[in-house]
């Protein structure tokens, strides 16, 4: 019984803290000229940073860099990850990792860059926005749109986007006599 | 009760310490035996329960099958030599760099530490229908699921398809053919030495296997003659990702030059048919010609003659033409030719 009461108390305190946090005015990290928020050593990432007239969470540069790299890693799935279903039988046939090909370390760029956008999210009580895979979704679409723009109105609507699939999209325009059909 | 597919079937594990013992065990077990080299190919088969051998003969304890030895005419590579050891061996690097390059292009470092040269050349087809247990021709059925209007066949064959359209996935095989290697087999009738080209078979000869090994046979070593030591080599592998991937296509060539003219050449490609293909017509056509982009262009066009694409792999034709061109002229000389040039 005591144990139950203790757990209940902990849950109550947790919820009260959440409520307090949700009523706080939305703030966002202010650039200082030497990075985001207060100047911190790159290997130390304080979770809470005091900026101007409020307190905000920004995770620290190390965390941001880590998530930024994660976003690039997710986006690099575009050219390689190969999920293939047999259309007649509806079965997944790329079952093994050597068949569905998630990107490996050599498929990633040697140098990755990330940038934080200094605009708070009005839909969130603290103005926070997602990093990492959340950003990657938009990134993947952006890369596909860029390919689409580059080759004209020839649809590359599905991933993976490999060289033969881009050639296929070009050939499908009808200008080429060569059949290069690939599935996507 | 649910069927558990994630557990290997039980088998008798036999671990011989000598080649003679291994042969004796193979003879005893007959059709029930499964030879285990590095285990990279076997793992899938056993774990998916597609193969249920009664006895697995693990060759990892047979020291005679390991290492690279110098002989009076070149080198002899034990079938159980790992790809890492092969790729980093000083003689291989110095005289047969083609093979080192091909071995280094296989899969990933962790896999190369475990995978063996014997296993790499003897591995089974990687067609996803066949590996997933679909009852295709190669598996004893009466259909090829990849060769249908909707079949997913981007990675499949463009040449010598005969009912089955799976390709040979080895990277070292074309390099060994280009180096004129000899494969040493231990059979019930004694030792047999055959050329690398004859080791591999297509579906027209035997649709159930990619090489000539019969039950009870064992590949013990690979001999590479000094004929092509220190020649001009070219190896290139095209794959979807830069590590841990089977080839969409690869090419290996060894040539000697007399001035700027090609004196002798051997060239082979893989992942275009169920067996690695030596290209004798290309070899004959370029012998005596200058090593130039024009010769490479001619060779590339000749190489793809007779190629028949499936629904989704037509890109392999310009790819093969360009790789052969680059293998003849050198990567620096030959630029990629657009597919519109066909």
């Amino acid at each position: 019984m005591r144990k139950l009461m203790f757990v209940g108390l902990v849950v109550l305190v947790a919820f009260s803290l959440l409520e307090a946090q949700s009523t706080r005015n939305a703030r966002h990290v202010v650039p200082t000229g030497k990075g985001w928020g207060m100047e911190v050593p790159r290997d130390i990432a304080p979770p809470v940073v005091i900026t101007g007239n409020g307190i905000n969470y920004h995770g620290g540069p190390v965390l941001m860099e880590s998530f930024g790299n994660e976003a690039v890693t997710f986006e690099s799935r575009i050219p390689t990850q190969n999920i293939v279903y047999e259309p007649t039988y509806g079965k997944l046939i790329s079952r093994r990792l050597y068949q569905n090909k998630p990107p490996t370390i050599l498929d990633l760029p040697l140098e990755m860059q990330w940038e934080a956008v200094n605009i708070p999210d009005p839909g969130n009580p603290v103005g926070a926005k997602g990093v990492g895979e959340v950003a990657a979704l938009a990134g993947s679409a952006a890369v596909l749109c860029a390919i689409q723009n580059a080759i004209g109105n020839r649809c590359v609507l599905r991933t993976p986007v490999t060289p033969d699939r881009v050639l296929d999209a070009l050939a499908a325009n009808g200008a080429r006599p060569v059949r290069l059909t690939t599935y996507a | 009760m649910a069927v558990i597919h994630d557990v290997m079937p039980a088998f008798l594990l036999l671990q011989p310490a000598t080649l003679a013992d291994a042969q004796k065990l193979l003879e005893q077990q007959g059709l029930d035996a499964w030879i285990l080299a590095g285990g990279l190919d076997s793992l899938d088969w056993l774990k998916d329960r597609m193969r249920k051998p009664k006895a697995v003969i693990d060759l990892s304890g047979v020291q005679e099958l390991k290492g690279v030895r110098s002989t009076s005419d070149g080198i002899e590579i034990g079938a159980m030599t790992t790809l890492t050891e092969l790729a980093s061996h000083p003689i291989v690097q110095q005289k047969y760099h083609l093979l080192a390059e091909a071995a280094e292009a296989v899969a990933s470092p962790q896999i190369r530490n475990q995978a063996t040269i014997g296993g790499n050349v003897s591995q089974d087809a990687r067609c996803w229908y066949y590996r997933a247990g679909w009852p295709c021709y190669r598996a004893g059925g009466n259909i090829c699921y990849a060769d249908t209007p909707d079949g997913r066949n981007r990675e499949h064959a463009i040449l010598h398809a005969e009912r089955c359209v799976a390709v040979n996935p080895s990277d070292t095989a074309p390099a060994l053919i280009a180096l004129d290697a000899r494969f040493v087999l231990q059979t019930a009738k004694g030792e047999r030495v055959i050329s690398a080209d004859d080791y591999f078979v297509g579906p027209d000869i035997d649709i159930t296997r990619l090489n000539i090994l019969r039950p009870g046979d064992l590949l013990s070593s690979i001999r590479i003659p000094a004929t092509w030591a220190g020649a001009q080599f070219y190896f290139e592998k095209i794959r979807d990702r830069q590590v841990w991937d089977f080839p969409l296509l690869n090419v290996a060539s060894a040539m000697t030059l007399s001035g700027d003219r090609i004196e002798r050449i051997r060239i082979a490609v893989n992942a275009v048919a169920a067996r690695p293909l030596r290209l004798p017509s290309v070899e004959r056509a370029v012998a005596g010609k200058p090593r130039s982009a024009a010769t490479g262009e001619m060779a590339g066009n000749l190489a793809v003659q007779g190629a028949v694409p499936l629904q989704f792999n037509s890109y392999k034709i310009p790819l093969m033409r360009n790789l052969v061109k680059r293998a003849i002229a050198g990567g620096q000389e030959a630029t990629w030719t657009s597919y519109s040039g066909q």
Side-chain angles (χ1 to χ4, degrees):
Chain A
M1 191 63 193
R2 270 190 186 176
K3 210 179 248 179
L4 262 177
M5 283 176 65
F6 177 71
V7 171
L9 190 68
V10 170
V11 171
L12 264 177
V13 170
F15 269 100
S16 67
L17 282 176
L18 274 179
E19 201 182 343
Q21 197 179 20
S22 70
T23 52
R24 198 172 288 157
N25 289 333
R27 301 268 186 256
H28 56 85
V29 182
V30 178
T32 61
K34 289 184 177 179
W36 290 92
M38 62 186 290
E39 196 178 342
V40 290
R42 288 178 67 81
D43 55 343
I44 299 170
V48 176
V49 178
I50 300 168
T51 58
N53 54 358
I55 294 178
N56 204 350
Y57 175 86
H58 88 110
V62 175
L63 203 58
M64 278 299 288
E65 189 163 346
S66 158
F67 277 119
N69 291 349
E70 187 193 341
V72 177
T73 311
F74 266 88
E75 277 163 37
S76 69
R77 279 186 182 177
I78 292 172
T80 61
Q81 189 123 20
N82 197 30
I83 307 295
V84 180
Y85 282 88
E86 160 59 47
T88 308
Y89 300 90
K91 282 193 80 172
L92 178 72
I93 47 176
S94 59
R95 304 171 311 137
R96 295 282 177 204
L97 289 173
Y98 72 79
Q99 292 167 334
N100 56 43
K101 305 179 184 182
T104 58
I105 188 68
L106 289 189
D107 300 304
L108 300 177
L110 280 177
E111 286 185 21
M112 303 187 214
Q113 290 185 347
W114 55 272
E115 196 66 65
V117 181
N118 191 25
I119 306 169
D121 182 356
N124 183 302
V126 292
K129 287 195 286 195
V131 286
E133 60 264 49
V134 180
L137 296 177
S140 300
V143 172
L144 281 181
C145 289
I147 296 171
Q148 184 83 345
N149 279 350
I151 67 172
N153 190 23
R154 294 149 184 161
C155 292
V156 181
L157 296 177
R158 295 188 62 177
T159 59
V161 183
T162 49
D164 59 299
R165 287 173 170 111
V166 175
L167 283 175
D168 178 31
L170 287 165
N173 197 34
R176 312 287 183 186
V178 186
R179 190 180 61 127
L180 280 164
T181 319
T182 60
Y183 54 85
Chain B
M1 193 178 150
V3 180
I4 299 169
H5 287 288
D6 229 10
V7 180
M8 284 193 198
F11 51 74
L12 179 68
L13 180 64
L14 302 168
Q15 295 178 302
T18 65
L19 182 56
D21 284 353
Q23 279 185 276
K24 209 172 175 182
L25 289 170
L26 271 173
E27 200 181 320
Q28 278 173 5
Q29 299 296 328
L31 288 170
D32 296 330
W34 179 274
I35 299 172
L36 184 75
L40 279 309
D41 191 10
S42 305
L43 183 72
D44 274 9
W45 283 127
L46 299 181
K47 215 175 172 212
D48 284 342
R49 300 173 80 88
M50 299 298 167
R51 299 280 187 273
K52 295 176 184 174
K54 285 187 182 159
V56 171
I57 300 173
D58 173 16
L59 299 178
S60 61
V62 184
Q63 292 304 317
E64 301 154 76
L65 296 178
K66 293 179 181 173
V68 180
R69 297 173 286 277
S70 285
T71 62
S72 55
D73 179 33
I75 56 170
E76 181 161 11
I77 306 161
M80 286 295 289
T81 308
T82 66
L83 295 174
T84 301
E85 195 185 339
L86 186 62
S88 57
H89 195 279
I91 299 176
V92 177
Q93 286 219 331
Q94 201 186 339
K95 294 183 175 173
Y96 308 100
H97 189 66
L98 179 67
L99 184 58
E101 243 182 283
E104 218 156 31
V106 174
S108 65
Q110 294 91 334
I111 290 174
R112 292 196 293 273
N113 287 341
Q114 176 68 17
T116 63
I117 180 74
N120 187 261
V121 295
S122 309
Q123 65 184 308
D124 210 342
R126 298 280 172 175
C127 169
W128 39 33
Y129 294 102
Y130 173 58
R131 299 296 288 213
W134 295 48
C136 65
Y137 281 124
R138 187 168 288 278
N142 61 356
I143 186 174
C144 172
Y145 293 93
D147 192 10
T148 59
D150 275 335
R152 308 284 93 171
N153 48 34
R154 175 175 170 264
E155 290 80 7
H156 290 69
I158 53 170
L159 283 158
H160 304 296
E162 169 75 37
R163 291 174 289 155
C164 174
V165 294
V167 294
N168 185 302
S170 174
D171 285 316
T172 56
L176 289 168
I177 290 174
L179 290 168
D180 200 9
R182 307 275 147 179
F183 285 41
V184 183
L185 312 183
Q186 306 299 328
T187 70
K189 291 178 184 169
E191 189 174 287
R192 191 177 162 205
V193 182
I194 54 163
S195 74
D197 207 15
D198 292 336
Y199 181 71
F200 303 97
V201 294
D204 50 339
I205 293 175
D206 189 343
I207 204 166
T208 62
R209 59 188 75 238
L210 294 183
N211 54 58
I212 61 164
L213 288 181
R214 314 281 316 170
D217 294 353
L218 192 66
L219 171 66
S220 59
S221 65
I222 294 168
R223 292 175 188 156
I224 301 181
T227 327
W228 295 93
Q232 301 230 5
F233 298 129
Y234 189 89
F235 180 83
E236 189 166 355
K237 170 181 178 177
I238 302 295
R239 46 189 157 179
D240 277 335
R241 53 180 182 182
Q242 292 310 306
V243 69
W244 190 23
D245 211 351
F246 289 101
L248 292 171
L249 221 153
N250 60 20
V251 65
S253 73
M255 70 170 81
T256 56
L257 296 174
S258 173
D260 69 334
R261 292 189 177 272
I262 298 166
E263 198 177 42
R264 292 180 305 140
I265 181 169
R266 280 177 73 95
I267 181 168
V269 292
N270 203 6
V272 291
R275 56 191 301 253
L277 296 178
R278 188 182 165 198
L279 305 172
S281 57
V282 170
E283 292 170 9
R284 282 193 298 273
V286 301
K289 299 221 165 37
R291 189 183 190 192
S292 65
T295 307
E297 188 85 42
M298 179 267 289
N301 288 329
L302 189 59
V304 296
Q305 278 188 9
V308 181
L310 302 168
Q311 180 71 5
F312 297 114
N313 69 355
S314 310
Y315 74 95
K316 278 198 176 185
I317 294 177
L319 187 58
M320 179 172 166
R321 194 173 54 227
N322 275 299
L323 283 195
V324 168
K325 179 182 168 185
R326 285 158 67 88
I328 302 287
Q332 303 296 320
E333 286 295 317
T335 54
W336 290 87
T337 306
S338 162
Y339 63 93
S340 62
Q342 279 195 86

